[in-house]
Amino acid sequence: MAIVNSIINWIMKKRIHQIELFMKYPHEVQEEWFQSLITTAQATVWGKKFGYESICNLETFKDRVPIQDYNSLKPYIDRMIAGEQNLLWPSDIKWFAKSSGTTADRSKFIPVSEEALEDCHFQGGKDLLSIYCHNRPDAKVFTGKGIVLGGSHKINQLGNGESSSGDLSAILIRNLPFWAEMYRIPDLETTLNPNFEEKIERVANLVIHENVTNLSGVPTWNVVLAKRVLELTGKDNLLEIWPNLELYLHGGVSFKPYKEQFMQLIPSDNMYYLENYNASEGYFGIQDQSDSEDLLLMLDYGVYYEFLPVENLQDEHPQTYTLDQVELGKNYALIISTNAGLWRYMIGDTIKFTTLHPYRIQITGRTKQYINTFGEELIVDNADNGIGEACKVTHAIVRDYTAGPVYFYNNEAGAHEWIIEFEREPDDFSKFKQVLDEKLREVNSDYDAKRFKNMALKEPIIHMAPSGTFYRWMKNRDKLGGQNKVPRLANDRDYLDSILPLLSKS
């Protein structure tokens, strides 16, 4: 295995030169992809509708094609699921990633073309390992196996019954090349089991006798698996079971609330944590520096990027910006055109640029996960920073949280109401609440202004949720496992009002 590990390491590192090229020539690479996407889709139903044949520059493209969301593309997607082809993209599309995001409580089915699988999602996975091997020349990750917690997979019975849907992770696992299967556990049947609780139990029993060198997946569900493994083995931490564990590949949610939990589960300074930004709609970023959490924006995956300032989201004709026009530290909604036929599609994520040479980003939240009931414009990045600081000061560990507004009542100021489930409770709960509030005021001037003398916002209301509350809530919503995440913020009380009754029943 050591020889194989060395060969794979060498192959992975060859890709670094190509990554360095798009870092050096970002605008040229993006322009090439723009022209390629437009040319490739000229004969599609969509391409003909918007006259792609005569589009030769971005301004014409923006003038003709409005910014899209799932609702506007849904009629085309429904037809593809029913078996029609050449609608949004010329190659046949048989796979649809079932997104945990919803529109009017309906699941979204994101088309995944062969090009998107090979040139975007799989390339991103390979680049993730290339960057790791480049940053850690002594890596031995291929001397053992990696645990991958995939989502569910099922045949979609709409139309002619030939379309398949499932979590993106399940689709990727289902289509992995044979050589990748050699290094992944558990087996395919177990990985794609739609019953999450059964899957966790079976995976935990399967992996305790394996030489596991790496983990990957959403932090929430990896913590659940890790704790079950420790229960079965009676060990104190994962290194007692897997002494060669060296890498955790994570994404899907901010790692900040989970970092302390993983430090306890894997007490080693040599453990490498590598974040990636892989969504149902495409693979967008990789943490390429060992000393920074910023994500390198990946520019040669068949994705053309535009960026819409968050403050202009509600404009009738919003103006987007290209890479050469963006500013540091400004929040943008991500707009993409892809090799799966998503055109000027707003995926719902917000990002900010941390460097421009090369282009690196941080994910700051969701366009629909925020609280702005009182003009405070609180985003997930603010909330994570506040939670992180409060944990640091009070030695707490947060397992999960969500927050929403308390509306004005009887001329009283409003507030933010939080439900927090702790892995380790704060030394001083009052101090935790104080520090959270102070940090939010520090990082968000709009929140600070609304908190001034309690005129619009009173101090936050915080409920300590009993252990397992969010797990039960997610289970009740049929949202266990896969890419399902606890929503952090909401501009209404829907989540709060459905969780609060669980606190009294615990």
Side-chain angles (χ1 to χ4, degrees):
M1 292 295 283
I3 295 176
V4 175
N5 182 74
S6 298
I7 293 172
I8 294 176
N9 265 311
W10 177 76
I11 294 172
M12 291 295 179
K13 290 175 183 176
K14 291 183 67 176
R15 167 65 177 158
I16 296 299
H17 175 65
Q18 294 171 305
I19 293 174
E20 289 172 343
L21 280 177
F22 78 64
M23 292 168 68
K24 187 175 182 180
Y25 303 104
H27 308 131
E28 292 84 351
V29 170
Q30 277 286 278
E31 176 63 23
E32 286 179 10
W33 269 113
F34 171 73
Q35 296 295 342
S36 175
L37 292 171
I38 294 296
T39 301
T40 304
Q42 284 181 5
T44 62
V45 170
W46 182 273
K48 290 178 180 178
K49 176 181 178 180
F50 290 102
Y52 275 24
E53 187 176 358
S54 59
I55 292 178
C56 56
N57 58 57
L58 178 61
E59 290 310 311
T60 304
F61 179 59
K62 290 164 66 172
D63 286 342
R64 291 186 188 176
V65 184
I67 291 175
Q68 306 293 313
D69 60 15
Y70 187 76
N71 279 340
S72 63
L73 292 185
K74 187 175 185 297
Y76 295 89
I77 293 172
D78 286 345
R79 288 166 63 186
M80 284 191 285
I81 290 173
E84 279 192 71
Q85 298 294 344
N86 201 39
L87 297 174
L88 296 172
W89 189 250
S91 62
D92 286 357
I93 294 178
K94 301 294 186 181
W95 294 96
F96 296 85
K98 187 176 180 180
S99 173
S100 58
T102 59
T103 302
D105 294 326
R106 295 190 299 272
S107 294
K108 296 190 293 187
F109 293 89
I110 305 299
V112 182
S113 66
E114 288 294 330
E115 292 90 339
L117 271 176
E118 292 294 333
D119 301 333
C120 188
H121 294 292
F122 285 154
Q123 185 61 57
K126 288 184 284 188
D127 284 353
L128 196 68
L129 292 171
S130 294
I131 286 171
Y132 174 64
C133 293
H134 178 72
N135 289 348
R136 180 171 275 188
D138 60 344
K140 295 180 175 60
V141 68
F142 297 108
T143 61
K145 292 189 176 182
I147 299 175
V148 181
L149 280 181
S152 63
H153 166 71
K154 66 178 182 179
I155 298 298
N156 192 309
Q157 296 302 316
L158 294 175
N160 58 11
E162 293 182 0
S163 299
S164 298
S165 71
D167 288 348
L168 175 67
S169 57
I171 292 174
L172 297 181
I173 291 169
R174 183 67 179 79
N175 288 277
L176 281 174
F178 76 93
W179 61 266
E181 282 291 325
M182 296 168 54
Y183 293 93
R184 183 192 64 78
I185 48 173
D187 58 274
L188 192 62
E189 181 182 358
T190 301
T191 301
L192 300 180
N193 185 345
N195 186 315
F196 180 73
E197 290 174 306
E198 285 183 8
K199 173 160 47 182
I200 285 292
E201 189 65 22
R202 178 156 174 76
V203 171
N205 280 279
L206 283 171
V207 300
I208 55 178
H209 302 298
E210 295 281 354
N211 175 27
V212 175
T213 60
N214 62 99
L215 310 170
S216 63
V218 176
T220 313
W221 310 124
N222 272 270
V223 169
V224 172
L225 174 63
K227 290 184 175 180
R228 183 57 185 144
V229 167
L230 294 179
E231 288 175 0
L232 288 172
T233 59
K235 302 297 185 181
D236 292 326
N237 64 72
L238 295 181
L239 293 177
E240 294 180 9
I241 308 164
W242 304 314
N244 298 318
L245 185 61
E246 65 177 64
L247 172 65
Y248 174 42
L249 306 169
H250 63 90
V253 297
S254 170
F255 193 56
K256 291 177 185 176
Y258 299 96
K259 189 170 184 178
E260 188 64 31
Q261 290 185 68
F262 275 87
M263 295 295 289
Q264 289 193 343
L265 291 168
I266 312 167
S268 169
D269 292 336
N270 292 322
M271 187 67 184
Y272 200 107
Y273 297 92
L274 187 54
E275 182 175 1
N276 71 113
Y277 181 11
N278 190 18
S280 299
E281 298 86 355
Y283 205 123
F284 307 125
I286 297 175
Q287 182 182 351
D288 68 316
Q289 298 174 299
S290 57
D291 59 349
S292 171
E293 296 178 354
D294 299 344
L295 304 175
L296 179 67
L297 190 64
M298 308 307 286
L299 303 178
D300 64 348
Y301 287 0
V303 179
Y304 182 76
Y305 297 100
E306 298 174 63
F307 307 92
L308 174 59
V310 170
E311 61 267 25
N312 300 124
L313 276 172
Q314 305 305 320
D315 291 358
E316 185 175 356
H317 301 290
Q319 175 65 40
T320 61
Y321 296 92
T322 50
L323 271 180
D324 60 323
Q325 298 172 315
V326 297
E327 302 174 22
L328 289 176
K330 190 179 183 68
N331 273 312
Y332 296 97
L334 198 58
I335 312 293
I336 59 171
S337 296
T338 77
N339 53 7
L342 298 176
W343 299 106
R344 303 204 74 208
Y345 185 80
M346 186 185 299
I347 68 172
D349 290 340
T350 59
I351 59 101
K352 67 179 179 182
F353 285 89
T354 55
T355 67
L356 302 181
H357 307 286
Y359 289 99
R360 293 193 178 95
I361 62 171
Q362 289 180 357
I363 305 166
T364 55
R366 298 280 294 170
T367 57
K368 293 185 179 180
Q369 281 197 38
Y370 60 87
I371 308 177
N372 195 32
T373 309
F374 313 101
E376 66 274 45
E377 297 186 9
L378 191 79
I379 62 175
V380 175
D381 187 55
N382 301 155
D384 283 342
N385 280 323
I387 290 286
E389 185 64 21
C391 284
K392 179 180 177 181
V393 171
T394 64
H395 307 102
I397 301 176
V398 166
R399 182 178 296 167
D400 265 312
Y401 75 87
T402 195
V406 176
Y407 303 123
F408 290 137
Y409 181 72
N410 285 342
N411 295 320
E412 291 187 8
H416 288 173
E417 189 167 8
W418 300 69
I419 300 174
I420 303 177
E421 184 177 331
F422 290 96
E423 183 76 18
R424 183 171 67 211
E425 293 184 5
D427 297 339
D428 184 334
F429 183 67
S430 296
K431 185 68 173 178
F432 181 94
K433 183 165 68 172
Q434 176 190 339
V435 174
L436 171 61
D437 186 41
E438 290 174 350
K439 188 64 176 180
L440 293 178
R441 297 185 73 163
E442 176 189 330
V443 299
N444 185 321
S445 59
D446 292 311
Y447 177 86
D448 182 50
K450 303 305 182 293
R451 285 283 292 115
F452 181 69
K453 294 186 177 180
N454 295 329
M455 293 179 65
L457 278 175
K458 296 183 293 186
E459 65 180 17
I461 300 165
I462 301 179
H463 305 276
M464 281 202 293
S467 178
T469 296
F470 281 101
Y471 186 93
R472 290 193 298 276
W473 181 64
M474 294 289 278
K475 183 179 179 180
N476 292 343
R477 299 170 67 230
D478 195 26
K479 295 287 187 180
L480 286 181
Q483 293 174 282
N484 297 306
K485 287 91 69 175
V486 172
R488 296 307 190 199
L489 304 177
N491 206 36
D492 54 43
R493 293 189 55 82
D494 290 352
Y495 299 139
L496 288 175
D497 290 341
S498 64
I499 301 173
L500 286 172
L502 296 179
L503 306 189
S504 60
K505 294 178 182 178
S506 301

